[in-house]
Amino acid sequence: MAAGPSATIGRSVIVRVPATSANLGPGFDTLGLALSLYDELHVTATDDADVIVEVHGIGEGEVPTDESNLVVRAIASAFAFYGQPLPGLRLVANNVIPHGRGLGSSGAAIVSGIMAAKGLLAGIVDIDAEALLALATAMEGHPDNVAPALFGGLTIAWVTPEGPQHKKLMVHRGVSPLVFVPEHTMSTSLARSLQPESVPHADAIFNVSRSALLVAALIQSPELLLAATEDKLHQNYRASAMPETNRLVTMLREHGHAAVVSGAGPSILVLSDDPSARLAAADLVAEHAETPWSPLMLAVDFKGATVVPHSVQSPLSS
C-alpha cells in the first residue's frame, strides 16, 4: 500500500554525486571510473504540488527548471516505481560537472534523483544497491555510465536477463587521473551513431585482451596503463567528429601518456602512474592545443553517491 503524502512532506536531503569517465579506452560500454568532481543537490518534499528548481553553476539558465528537469524526472520515476505519491519538490542544484563533455553529467543527474528518492523514502521503502542500479539504468540506458557514479571506484557493468549488474574494484593508489575539458561539447547520440554495427574479429580480440589488462593495470600494475588503454572498437570511428580530441590523444600517447577519450568525448582522460607525469601531460596540451582546454587534476572517488538527511551528519551511502 502506498504511503500518504504526509509520509515524506517536510523531509529534506542533500545528495552528492561524482563525475565519471566511461569506456576508459578499450572497456567500451563496460568499464567506468568515478572522479573527484561533484554535483550537489538539496531536495525538500513540500505539501503543495509545485516543483521549484534552482540551478547554480554549470547549466544555470540552460537546463529546465520544471517537471521536465532530469533530476525531477528521476525522482518521480523512483516514486512511481514503488507506488509512492510524489510530493511537491524544491530542488537546489549546485553543479560543477561539465555538460556534454563526456564526464557523466546526465548520469549524475539521474543518480542524483534516484538517491534523493532513496533518502526521502527512507523508512518507507528500502531501495538497495541492486534497485538503485536498475532504476538508474532504466533511465540512462547503459549501466556503465551510472554504476561508477552510484558506487565509486572502478566499476565493471554488464546486463543479465535479471537486470543490470556491477562489480566495484578499488583502484591502485598510484593511479592519478587528469582530465582535459574543452570549451566545445559533443552529442552522445552523435558519437554512438558513428559506431559500426560490426567490427573485425581481430579488433574484438584486441579489445578483449586490452580490457582484461586494463583491469589489472588499474588495480594492481599502473605501469601497464599505456598498453592497457589501447582501443580499436570506438575511438577511431568517432575521431572525425572530434578532430582535436583525436589529435591530442594521439600526441599524448606518442609521448608515453595513457590518454583516452572520456566517455563519448570530447574531454580527454589521462591515467598516470606518477603525479609528476600529469604536469608533463598538462604542459604538452597547453603547448599543442589549438583551442582552450582546462586541465583538472583529479583523484579517483571511492565513495560514490551519498544522500544525507538535512539535519543528520552520517550519509546513507549507496
Side-chain angles (χ1 to χ4, degrees):
M1 178 181 293
S6 62
T8 58
I9 288 172
R11 291 189 174 189
S12 184
V13 297
I14 300 175
V15 178
R16 195 166 182 252
V17 180
T20 59
S21 183
N23 303 327
L24 310 182
F28 184 60
D29 278 0
T30 302
L31 299 181
L33 191 67
L35 301 170
S36 61
L37 188 68
Y38 304 92
D39 281 354
E40 187 171 282
L41 176 73
H42 295 222
V43 183
T44 301
T46 63
D47 60 359
D48 54 44
D50 293 336
V51 171
I52 300 174
V53 180
E54 293 181 25
V55 178
H56 303 285
I58 302 296
E60 184 174 354
E62 300 174 2
V63 302
T65 55
D66 57 14
E67 291 85 353
S68 66
N69 180 279
L70 186 54
V71 177
V72 175
R73 287 162 46 202
I75 295 173
S77 175
F79 270 72
F81 182 83
Y82 289 103
Q84 301 297 319
L86 186 68
L89 295 170
R90 179 167 291 117
L91 280 69
V92 179
N94 297 293
N95 297 337
V96 298
I97 301 173
H99 290 182
R101 289 173 175 82
L103 290 171
S105 60
S106 61
I110 291 169
V111 169
S112 292
I114 301 298
M115 291 297 290
K118 172 185 171 73
L120 293 174
L121 291 169
I124 302 169
V125 174
D126 178 25
I127 308 180
D128 61 16
E130 183 178 351
L132 289 169
L133 182 59
L135 288 166
T137 301
M139 286 197 69
E140 208 287 335
H142 299 90
D144 64 305
N145 291 330
V146 292
L150 279 167
F151 308 114
L154 168 68
T155 57
I156 306 171
W158 68 99
V159 177
T160 71
E162 292 72 37
Q165 309 292 326
H166 85 285
K167 176 63 179 178
K168 173 182 176 179
L169 299 171
M170 300 304 286
V171 177
H172 192 283
R173 63 190 299 176
V175 176
S176 300
L178 165 61
V179 175
F180 293 101
V181 182
E183 292 184 338
H184 57 280
T185 62
M186 178 69 185
S187 163
T188 299
S189 59
L190 172 59
R192 285 193 170 275
S193 72
L194 300 173
Q195 294 292 130
E197 293 187 4
S198 61
V199 297
H201 185 262
D203 289 353
I205 293 174
F206 181 96
N207 268 60
V208 168
S209 69
R210 297 310 190 275
S211 294
L213 182 61
L214 180 54
V215 172
L218 284 169
I219 67 175
Q220 182 177 325
S221 306
E223 71 276 7
L224 297 175
L225 281 168
L226 181 61
T229 49
E230 293 179 306
D231 160 69
K232 291 189 177 181
L233 283 190
H234 68 104
Q235 293 179 117
N236 289 341
Y237 297 109
R238 298 172 173 182
S240 61
M242 298 177 283
E244 188 168 22
T245 295
N246 180 63
R247 184 178 65 80
L248 292 175
V249 166
T250 300
M251 182 269 296
L252 285 163
R253 295 189 66 84
E254 288 174 348
H255 284 80
H257 300 283
V260 297
V261 177
S262 180
S267 293
I268 296 169
L269 171 70
V270 177
L271 295 169
S272 297
D273 63 353
D274 178 357
S276 64
R278 296 195 298 183
L279 299 176
D283 288 342
L284 280 171
V285 170
E287 180 181 353
H288 294 282
E290 296 174 356
T291 60
W293 291 69
S294 299
L296 302 178
M297 305 283 183
L298 302 175
V300 176
D301 169 87
F302 293 107
K303 200 170 198 178
T306 58
V307 55
V308 182
H310 196 271
S311 61
V312 179
Q313 296 302 313
S314 59
L316 300 169
S317 67
S318 60

